[in-house]
Amino acid sequence: MRVVVGSRASKLAVIQSEMVIDSLRRYNPEVEFDLITMKTTGDIILDKTLDKIGGKGLFVKELDKALVDGRVDITVHSLKDMPMEVNNELPLLAFSKREDPRDVLVLPEGVSEIDPNKPIGSSSKRRQLHLEKLYPGIDIKPIRGNLQTRLRKLDEGEFSAIVLAYAGLKRLGLEHRVSRIFSTEEIVPAACQGILAVQGRADFDEAILKSFDDKDSRAVAMAERSFVAALDGGCSSPVAAYGKIQGDQISLTGFYVDEKGRELTKTVAGPLKDGVALGRQLAYNMKKKLEEKVDGNAG
């Protein structure tokens, strides 16, 4: 049996896909795996922020087409980069064990303190809003490109610091670049940050993925994604969710900013089996609370 795996062409995406393939090979030694890489629209257009060019779907469009055309059998994605709406014909089939979901601060090589005269580079409004509170008075400016490109821009002096996902740096063996690890209270992580997802056609034989699929990651991912989806949140929306499993319970923290710029962070807990419903209910309650604030102010 031969399985063709599709991946984005960046170094991090290839390493992540190879991690998945290595895991699948261990449990399926009789299967031959081949890796095909491709640049997505989101990788090519780097002079605009994602909300200006179409959001998260730009990182999956080409890979989805390769699945539909039969050029690849499965694709590997950072789940945080995937749209909330997934084509029923191309379901998410398996989820990796979660890597550290936190965000981190990275300074230029050889530098030990932030230069207040240069901006901090951040790729998302979610991070920007948190950073404005953590570093008042310092400009926060957008930065695009893959992880190596961002590090190069930092080291060449464009930024005083940049904020990245800890998971990506760890997978690239670049933990030594980390200057500060933000707690999940300081910066609520993007939904599903640290989780890899395997996507495929609906008729793909999932048996070879069974050993790879992590049931805790799946449960947390579905809860976090349900919260974001209920708020119509995408990659450019300041929405975040972070779930933690404790026994048969899940604690879910949501971060939401409405169209008027009012923001709210709230944590709820409940049975893990009800995680998706819990995410939806948390979204509804937070939205309602902000609307009530408006009504109260109007009165």
Side-chain angles (χ1 to χ4, degrees):
M1 181 181 178
R2 179 171 174 263
V3 174
V4 181
V5 182
S7 166
R8 288 167 63 186
S10 73
K11 184 175 180 181
L12 177 58
V14 170
I15 283 175
Q16 291 178 161
S17 295
E18 287 174 342
M19 286 169 53
V20 173
I21 290 171
D22 287 345
S23 177
L24 294 176
R25 276 194 183 120
R26 278 198 299 275
Y27 295 97
N28 304 278
E30 75 289 353
V31 179
E32 181 184 338
F33 292 92
D34 293 328
L35 181 63
I36 289 179
T37 64
M38 58 194 78
K39 282 202 169 186
T40 67
T41 305
D43 297 313
I44 295 166
I45 303 175
L46 298 176
D47 59 343
K48 296 182 177 71
T49 55
L50 286 177
D51 56 317
K52 302 287 193 301
I53 57 174
K56 292 188 176 184
L58 297 178
F59 288 122
V60 302
K61 192 165 60 174
E62 284 79 3
L63 290 164
D64 282 358
K65 189 171 189 314
L67 278 172
V68 171
D69 293 347
R71 285 179 285 135
V72 300
D73 300 303
I74 56 175
T75 53
V76 176
H77 301 273
S78 289
L79 188 51
K80 75 179 179 68
D81 292 332
M82 297 196 73
M84 292 302 125
E85 294 296 322
V86 175
N87 184 340
N88 289 335
E89 295 177 9
L90 302 175
L92 300 177
L93 302 174
F95 301 83
S96 75
K97 186 176 175 58
R98 191 173 209 170
E99 182 51 271
D100 195 312
R102 294 174 293 178
D103 284 315
V104 295
L105 187 79
V106 179
L107 297 175
E109 287 271 27
V111 173
S112 58
E113 292 182 2
I114 286 180
D115 179 351
N117 299 310
K118 288 183 181 178
I120 297 174
S122 164
S123 60
S124 73
K125 289 183 181 177
R126 167 187 66 87
R127 286 174 176 152
Q128 180 181 339
L129 289 166
H130 287 93
L131 289 168
E132 285 169 352
K133 295 185 183 69
L134 292 165
Y135 298 99
I138 297 182
D139 284 344
I140 315 295
K141 290 197 172 173
I143 181 169
R144 289 286 320 282
N146 62 38
L147 195 144
Q148 277 80 14
T149 299
R150 296 183 198 190
L151 288 173
R152 178 178 53 74
K153 289 179 179 179
L154 171 69
D155 292 336
E156 288 176 352
E158 286 187 45
F159 299 90
S160 65
I162 58 175
V163 178
L164 299 167
Y166 197 12
L169 287 167
K170 289 182 102 175
R171 288 168 181 153
L172 285 167
L174 295 173
E175 296 100 321
H176 65 281
R177 293 299 309 262
V178 175
S179 298
R180 174 179 178 177
I181 302 172
F182 297 106
S183 71
T184 56
E185 290 77 32
E186 288 174 319
I187 301 183
V188 182
C192 306
Q193 189 156 293
I195 300 174
L196 302 178
V198 178
Q199 189 173 21
R201 291 182 295 278
D203 60 356
F204 183 78
D205 181 2
E206 295 178 51
I208 68 166
L209 302 173
K210 192 172 180 184
S211 59
F212 174 78
D213 188 42
D214 186 275
K215 64 180 180 63
D216 285 352
S217 285
R218 178 183 284 271
V220 164
M222 292 299 99
E224 291 176 4
R225 282 171 66 84
S226 74
F227 171 80
V228 178
L231 294 168
D232 295 322
C235 127
S236 60
S237 304
V239 178
Y242 174 57
K244 283 193 296 187
I245 294 176
Q246 294 159 323
D248 62 355
Q249 300 286 300
I250 183 171
S251 126
L252 187 64
T253 297
F255 170 74
Y256 170 54
V257 182
D258 69 10
E259 63 280 357
K260 291 187 171 61
R262 296 178 300 259
E263 64 180 71
L264 188 62
T265 302
K266 187 173 173 60
T267 301
V268 294
L272 181 59
K273 64 181 177 60
D274 299 332
V276 170
L278 197 69
R280 287 197 200 105
Q281 188 62 45
L282 178 61
Y284 172 79
N285 290 345
M286 290 175 72
K287 203 168 185 176
K288 189 176 178 186
K289 191 173 182 67
L290 287 179
E291 287 168 355
E292 285 171 354
K293 279 188 181 179
V294 177
D295 294 340
N297 291 340

